[in-house]
Amino acid sequence: MISLGPCEVEVPGEAHSLALIRMVVTSLAEMAGMDENRIGEIELAVDEACSNVVDHAYSGMNPHPSFNLAIYVDDNDFIIEIIDRGKHFNFNAHVLPKFPDHWDEGNVRGVGLFLIRKTVDQVTYEKLPDNRNCLKLVKHVRK
Amino acid sequence: MTTCPLTVRAEDQDGFTLISVEGAVDTSNVEEFRSLIMPRCETPNSRIILDCGGISYMNSRSFALLYRFHHTCESNGGIFLVCCVPLKIEHIIKLLGLNAMLKVLPTLEDAIDTLGTTDKGGSDS
């Protein structure tokens, strides 16, 4: 039985923060008893989400603001909220690419949201009252 | 910009090039990953084995690049094989359906054997 959190982290809005974030997420996922594949999936989902903040939400902002993560773990779920101060986007309008057509057309981008949706059990995105954006990922600890 | 540590080592061996990658590939260094490997794939008739045994993490763009490396290499008359993929990365390769397009072998020996059963199209050295 495990109950953790919230574990709150504020990191610079730069690509070099990603390695630290992955380390925190995988450590907590191991403590929660997730198996190797599920740890790999939540690591990927969080890294892709945070990369989108750095590469897209903060695009054109100089310097990049920091962003926050809040992680909660209980017996059933591993929950991560990623809160940024960048541009909002229409998450629900995103059309999932078809493979291999997407890559045959020369695209190397656009795969991240597909992987986020594929690797977590629930994903929501909303604009907070203070104008920050919150992406919430929920992954069951076990299948 | 500080990047995540990544080592890409290419060795020309008997009839093929072995590219060994160590570290994590994320948005901080994915362009480095591309620029160090793609020129080898663009060389006509290249026979390349990508050893992924030392990779601790790959992001979505690096999976897309695996497909680009394979496609570019084969378009130029070459062969591109991937081997020693860690389980958690192989799991994502399957999730993306890349296993149906890439030639993924369990070990380096398997990859070399696979090259041996194909017609030698040339050298990239």
Side-chain angles (χ1 to χ4, degrees):
Chain A
M1 181 172 177
I2 186 168
S3 178
L4 292 171
C7 171
E8 296 180 320
V9 184
E10 180 171 0
V11 295
E14 305 290 345
H16 65 73
S17 298
L18 297 174
L20 172 67
I21 293 167
R22 292 196 301 271
M23 189 172 70
V24 170
V25 168
T26 55
S27 297
L28 292 174
E30 284 172 11
M31 289 171 65
M34 296 172 86
D35 67 30
E36 187 176 353
N37 280 348
R38 297 182 83 71
I39 293 171
E41 288 176 344
I42 193 68
E43 177 186 25
L44 182 66
V46 174
D47 182 83
E48 292 297 336
C50 294
S51 296
N52 284 343
V53 171
V54 173
D55 290 342
H56 301 299
Y58 287 177
S59 174
M61 300 174 78
N62 190 17
H64 285 188
S66 60
F67 62 97
N68 298 72
L69 289 91
I71 305 173
Y72 312 77
V73 187
D74 62 27
D75 280 345
N76 299 316
D77 293 322
F78 193 100
I79 303 166
I80 299 188
E81 293 174 345
I82 299 159
I83 300 164
D84 73 72
R85 298 162 181 79
K87 292 187 283 282
H88 187 79
F89 82 108
N90 189 348
F91 184 80
N92 293 321
H94 177 257
V95 178
L96 293 181
K98 289 181 180 173
F99 300 107
D101 300 7
H102 184 73
W103 290 330
D104 281 336
E105 291 161 4
N107 299 306
V108 293
R109 289 186 174 271
V111 186
L113 281 178
F114 172 88
L115 282 172
I116 290 171
R117 289 185 189 272
K118 279 282 186 184
T119 55
V120 300
D121 295 295
Q122 186 183 331
V123 53
T124 55
Y125 179 75
E126 64 174 335
K127 195 171 192 68
L128 301 176
D130 61 4
N131 277 336
R132 295 186 300 169
N133 307 302
C134 178
L135 182 74
K136 182 177 180 180
L137 309 176
V138 179
K139 187 163 185 66
H140 303 324
V141 171
R142 290 167 195 83
K143 280 184 185 175
Chain B
M1 182 176 76
T2 307
T3 61
C4 196
L6 177 71
T7 303
V8 177
R9 188 172 56 247
E11 304 167 65
D12 288 325
Q13 303 210 358
D14 183 21
F16 69 94
T17 299
L18 175 62
I19 301 177
S20 306
V21 184
E22 289 183 15
V25 189
D26 67 13
T27 196
S28 75
N29 59 17
V30 68
E31 178 53 28
E32 181 185 0
F33 180 68
R34 188 203 65 78
S35 66
L36 290 171
I37 298 175
M38 186 58 90
R40 297 264 177 178
C41 300
E42 290 168 342
T43 303
N45 304 317
S46 292
R47 296 157 59 83
I48 294 173
I49 298 176
L50 184 71
D51 184 339
C52 298
I55 299 182
S56 57
Y57 176 76
M58 290 180 69
N59 73 349
S60 62
R61 286 180 64 193
S62 54
F63 285 111
L65 282 172
L66 281 188
Y67 180 70
R68 297 306 306 166
F69 296 153
H70 159 80
H71 187 266
T72 301
C73 199
E74 300 228 329
S75 297
N76 286 290
I79 301 168
F80 184 82
L81 305 179
V82 180
C83 72
C84 308
V85 180
L87 280 178
K88 70 172 186 180
I89 293 175
E90 186 179 13
H91 175 64
I92 304 300
I93 284 176
K94 289 177 179 171
L95 197 66
L96 287 167
L98 271 174
N99 54 314
M101 295 169 265
L102 296 175
K103 297 183 180 75
V104 182
L105 287 308
T107 68
L108 177 57
E109 290 72 24
D110 291 329
I112 293 171
D113 287 348
T114 300
L115 279 182
T117 61
T118 59
D119 186 31
K120 287 193 178 183
S123 170
D124 64 335
S125 57

